[in-house]
Amino acid sequence: MKSLSKGELLGVGLMMFSIFFGAGNLIFPPALGQAAGESVVPAMAGFLITGVGLPLMGIAAIAMQGGKYIEFISRMTRPAFATALLVILYLTIGPMFAVPRTGAVSFEIGIRPFLTEDTMTIGQAIYTALFFGATYWLALNPSKLIDRVGKMLTPVLLAFLVLMFLRAFGAPLGDIMPATGSYVESAFAQGFQDGYQTMDLLASLSIGTIVVNAIRMRGMTDNKSVSKICIISGFITVALMTLVYGSLAYIGATSASVLGHAENGGQLLAGAVSIFFGPAGNLLVAFIIALACLTTSCGMISGMAWYFNKISNNRVSYVRLVQAGT
């Protein structure tokens, strides 16, 4: 029986992390940290349950079904309802909402600060073409997602994040201020609610399918082995997401005394990195947000294309669906 090496297992975990870690995952924790202030620990505890724990349970559920969740859902309810539900879900986390958001957010936070009003339109057109062209290339061959995303892009993304976090913990922005708003009385409950905003619980359905298919394309056919690999990789993902979310929340918690209360996590992060690294900080933010959004975008497009290819009984090819989605 074929098995994955430790390096390949790590690659699956890194791929899973990078697909989960998109635009919302990057900007929500700093905003939470700034608003929660001294209550950041209970707020993050609630956030991690819904933003990390529930998606892991979704991945595990898909893995334990051997990736055949469509048949499983159809047995639990009427097939027509199951199909309608999944179509709406895949369109929402795919081309109708989440995927366009990855391109828009990465441009607004990472690229827009470098452009003037005269070059804004052409700059956005060029960036959008490059971003979704890269999405198309990455999603085109699902058997190579582990290599392209897990082993190539994710280490680069993590390297940029580690650089930012080392600076943040080595020389904090300022003091942690008192909590504001609903975090004053119910920090845990508010954090628990905030975790849903990442949309990772919904995305776990698509990501679980991508991971199962990528593992099977590596020659793994036994359902029990596939499930075990998914769950182990899921714990790698959980560990990384917990460290990253906690660090981002810490940046937010120490920012209010210096930056004031920002309108959103994107502005907060850009301001913090600008203080940490000066003008070069804008470039760092641009690389981080672009890589985070790109890996999520290709994962969502791949999952959407796989699902519609399956329900069409291969009448519409995977490649054509990827083209339509991007």
Side-chain angles (χ1 to χ4, degrees), residues 60-139:
I62 299 301
M64 292 174 69
Q65 294 297 320
K68 298 180 180 179
Y69 66 91
I70 298 175
E71 294 83 352
F72 175 73
I73 296 176
S74 297
R75 291 197 302 269
M76 299 294 291
T77 183
R78 292 181 180 274
F81 177 80
T83 300
L85 175 65
L86 290 172
V87 166
I88 293 171
L89 173 64
Y90 274 104
L91 289 176
T92 300
I93 64 175
M96 297 295 290
F97 181 73
V99 168
R101 187 177 74 168
T102 60
V105 170
S106 60
F107 173 79
E108 286 294 324
I109 299 176
I111 306 301
R112 189 183 183 95
F114 294 99
L115 302 177
T116 64
E117 289 298 324
D118 293 337
T119 60
M120 193 68 64
T121 301
I122 186 65
Q124 186 168 14
I126 293 172
Y127 176 79
T128 301
L130 292 173
F131 182 89
F132 287 106
T135 295
Y136 170 75
W137 178 75
L138 288 168

Side-chain angles (χ1 to χ4, degrees), residues 6 59-60 138 168 204 248 253 297 303:
K6 292 181 179 179
I59 292 289
L138 288 168
S204 65
L248 288 170
S297 176

Side-chain angles (χ1 to χ4, degrees), residues 98-326:
V99 168
R101 187 177 74 168
T102 60
V105 170
S106 60
F107 173 79
E108 286 294 324
I109 299 176
I111 306 301
R112 189 183 183 95
F114 294 99
L115 302 177
T116 64
E117 289 298 324
D118 293 337
T119 60
M120 193 68 64
T121 301
I122 186 65
Q124 186 168 14
I126 293 172
Y127 176 79
T128 301
L130 292 173
F131 182 89
F132 287 106
T135 295
Y136 170 75
W137 178 75
L138 288 168
L140 194 59
N141 192 336
S143 66
K144 294 184 178 180
L145 278 178
I146 293 176
D147 292 326
R148 290 175 176 175
V149 175
K151 295 182 179 180
M152 290 172 53
L153 293 183
T154 310
V156 177
L157 171 60
L158 287 173
F160 284 129
L161 288 171
V162 167
L163 180 63
M164 180 173 65
F165 296 152
L166 288 175
R167 183 66 177 82
F169 283 99
L173 286 170
D175 297 327
I176 298 179
M177 304 297 287
T180 60
S182 57
Y183 294 98
V184 176
E185 299 293 336
S186 52
F188 177 84
Q190 185 60 46
F192 187 93
Q193 180 178 326
D194 291 342
Y196 286 106
Q197 296 185 47
T198 64
M199 294 181 65
D200 283 348
L201 180 57
L202 293 177
S204 65
L205 194 64
S206 176
I207 295 172
T209 304
I210 294 168
V211 172
V212 169
N213 288 339
I215 293 171
R216 291 189 180 279
M217 289 178 181
R218 292 279 173 149
M220 301 290 296
T221 57
D222 179 61
N223 284 343
K224 185 177 293 186
S225 298
V226 171
S227 299
K228 182 178 178 181
I229 291 170
C230 285
I231 293 172
I232 294 174
S233 301
F235 281 113
I236 295 173
T237 300
V238 165
L240 288 172
M241 293 180 78
T242 299
L243 291 172
V244 170
Y245 285 164
S247 300
L248 288 170
Y250 177 76
I251 292 175
T254 57
S255 68
S257 62
V258 177
L259 298 174
H261 288 278
E263 293 183 8
N264 57 65
Q267 292 181 358
L268 189 162
L269 196 62
V273 175
S274 179
I275 292 175
F276 290 150
F277 300 102
N282 291 330
L283 283 174
L284 181 63
V285 169
F287 278 117
I288 290 174
I289 192 71
L291 285 172
C293 290
L294 178 61
T295 53
T296 297
S297 176
C298 76
M300 294 302 99
I301 288 294
S302 179
M304 179 277 300
W306 176 88
Y307 174 71
F308 285 107
N309 170 257
K310 185 175 180 63
I311 64 172
S312 71
N313 293 319
N314 296 317
R315 287 192 293 270
V316 183
S317 70
Y318 174 89
V319 173
R320 181 172 296 179
L321 287 164
V322 170
Q323 291 173 339
T326 53

